[in-house]
Amino acid sequence: MTPFSLDRLRRRPDLEATELVAVDAADRLLLDTAADRLRRPGDIATINDAYGALTLGAAHLSGRSDIRVFQDGVVHERALALNAADQGLRSAYRPLPLGAELLDGVSIVLLRLPRSLDELDELAWTIAAHARPDVVILAAGRVKHMSVSMNAILGRYFGDVTAGLARQKARVLTASGPLPVGGSSFPRSARHDVGLARPLELLAYGATFGGPALDPGTRLLLPHLRRLPEPLAGASGAADVVDLGCGNGAIAAFVALAHPDLRILATDQSASAIASAAATAAANGVADRIAVCRDDALSALPDASVGLIILNPPFHLGSTVHAGVAHRLFDACARVLAPGGELITVWNSHLRYRPVLERIIGATRQLDRSPRFTVTASTRR
């Protein structure tokens, strides 16, 4: 068998491009820092491991086959599975949701620092609440994305927090001595006036992009969802409308409140987003008409099965701005939309997606535009 190598890891099924890597300097520094600890007895968990570097690296260094893993993104779960198979480590780990089963009895946690402070807050609380009293967290990030606020958040839940020396513009924070914690502060909530008979209540767990806020692009989009095309006769799906990349569930809940006869599928690749969308649906009394599904780019839906998709696409992959992520979602919409179906989307105006939508989906008309955002409707040819 070919020896284990971080250099053989790939990003697939996520977007692959020359400027996008599966392993970075923070992954390598974290594994080097943790190497001695990983060789000692004790259960190991990895959190936010994007493509398998931490999990497979920990399995290789420790010789263990019981690494526990939480990855918020389903695309990262699939990438880890593919990389594990390539490296002969398919049985070296066990994926688990964020919670007690992931952390009970764990003595070392390898964590990629999220950019969201709310996400770090939820992760730190969960580790402190459920891991061993002698647990040690080794948390790595790129220096340009780190701040002293991260130390402060870890310090809320751990008595000892230190920062290691930087290497190749990456750094490791070490946290130990979990403090007593109360109940979780998640999901967090906020109410928004969106012109309906009642405020829209949004709930969000820590890793959900934007938290319980109503982002400006979605706010520009919502008025155009008061009137929607009739359900397409040729569509065979179980939902009338798909909210792709549902985040905190704002779009799905708004459509359900504005159109009591429609069934909505809210889908996102993030476990946090799916939990948030479900909580938002329940808070607004429309959970009976909103189904939630954790999926990557509509992979669970058949071809030509949907009459209407609504999308507020991301324009970044992690910390990297890359147009390819939206193009990938547009391709998925083209596959899943039935002929004559519509994609309604809002996007950052400077990205000039209209020619791309014309090419991938079909005829595209502008519904609205602000200095920052554009709303369009594209009809599947």
Side-chain angles (χ1 to χ4, degrees):
M1 180 181 294
T2 305
F4 173 79
S5 173
L6 290 174
D7 295 329
R8 289 170 49 214
L9 300 186
R10 293 180 54 188
R11 295 170 56 94
R12 71 200 193 291
D14 204 357
L15 189 68
E16 294 191 295
T18 304
E19 68 274 21
L20 300 174
V21 299
V23 183
D24 68 7
D27 293 321
R28 296 178 189 275
L29 178 59
L30 182 51
L31 288 171
D32 288 348
T33 304
D36 287 342
R37 292 182 184 275
L38 291 171
R39 295 186 181 103
R40 303 172 195 170
D43 290 351
I44 303 164
T46 68
I47 296 177
N48 276 358
D49 182 13
Y51 303 102
L54 302 184
T55 303
L56 303 180
H60 172 69
L61 289 167
S62 67
R64 300 185 61 134
S65 59
D66 57 355
I67 311 295
R68 302 185 218 176
V69 182
F70 169 70
Q71 295 164 289
D72 180 64
V74 70
V75 69
H76 294 150
E77 287 185 0
R78 294 173 182 177
L80 170 55
L82 290 169
N83 284 323
D86 288 348
Q87 304 263 8
L89 293 169
R90 184 179 284 138
S91 60
Y93 71 95
R94 182 162 54 113
L96 292 165
L98 183 66
E101 188 179 3
L102 173 74
L103 293 157
D104 184 37
V106 162
S107 58
I108 181 169
V109 176
L110 303 186
L111 167 67
R112 275 305 300 257
L113 286 165
R115 295 191 66 181
S116 162
L117 296 179
D118 280 351
E119 182 177 358
L120 181 58
D121 192 299
E122 185 176 21
L123 293 174
W125 178 90
T126 306
I127 297 168
H130 298 297
R132 289 170 54 101
D134 61 351
V135 67
V136 175
I137 302 173
L138 297 174
R142 302 305 300 271
V143 171
K144 65 182 179 180
H145 299 139
M146 297 173 69
S147 69
V148 294
S149 297
M150 293 178 170
N151 303 56
I153 287 172
L154 290 171
R156 292 177 194 166
Y157 304 104
F158 295 88
D160 187 24
V161 179
T162 58
L165 297 175
R167 187 183 83 186
Q168 294 179 307
K169 300 180 181 180
R171 191 186 298 276
V172 172
L173 303 180
T174 302
S176 60
L179 303 172
V181 295
S184 174
S185 62
F186 293 93
R188 292 175 178 166
S189 65
R191 292 189 171 191
H192 304 274
D193 181 4
V194 291
L196 296 175
R198 52 177 286 181
L200 183 65
E201 185 168 359
L202 302 182
L203 280 76
Y205 289 89
T208 301
F209 181 77
L214 189 63
D215 71 85
T218 298
R219 191 174 284 280
L220 183 68
L221 169 67
L222 291 184
H224 300 280
L225 305 182
R226 287 180 172 278
R227 298 181 64 182
L228 294 175
E230 292 293 322
L232 197 64
S236 58
D240 301 305
V241 181
V242 173
D243 176 10
L244 172 57
C246 63
N248 60 24
I251 291 172
F254 180 91
V255 170
L257 290 169
H259 303 274
D261 55 331
L262 295 182
R263 303 159 301 157
I264 299 99
L265 173 64
T267 177
D268 201 294
Q269 69 108 19
S270 161
S272 178
I274 288 304
S276 299
T280 290
N284 289 280
V286 290
D288 58 329
R289 290 187 292 112
I290 296 178
V292 298
C293 175
R294 185 170 176 242
D295 187 24
D296 174 38
L298 303 176
S299 66
L301 296 183
D303 293 359
S305 61
V306 172
L308 177 61
I309 299 173
I310 304 169
L311 170 63
N312 182 352
F315 60 92
H316 55 84
L317 286 165
S319 59
T320 304
V321 175
H322 201 288
V325 62
H327 293 197
R328 183 168 177 264
L329 294 178
F330 296 157
D331 285 335
C333 293
R335 180 186 66 81
V336 170
L337 278 171
E342 280 199 354
L343 168 64
I344 299 176
T345 186
V346 57
W347 36 273
N348 293 70
S349 298
H350 73 274
L351 296 174
R352 303 185 183 279
Y353 282 148
R354 184 164 180 172
V356 179
L357 290 164
E358 295 269 3
R359 173 173 55 83
I360 295 177
I361 307 293
T364 297
R365 64 190 188 278
Q366 180 175 300
L367 302 180
D368 208 341
R369 186 180 177 91
S370 73
R372 292 180 58 196
F373 298 98
T374 299
V375 180
T376 54
S378 304
T379 303
R380 183 71 171 100
R381 63 174 64 86

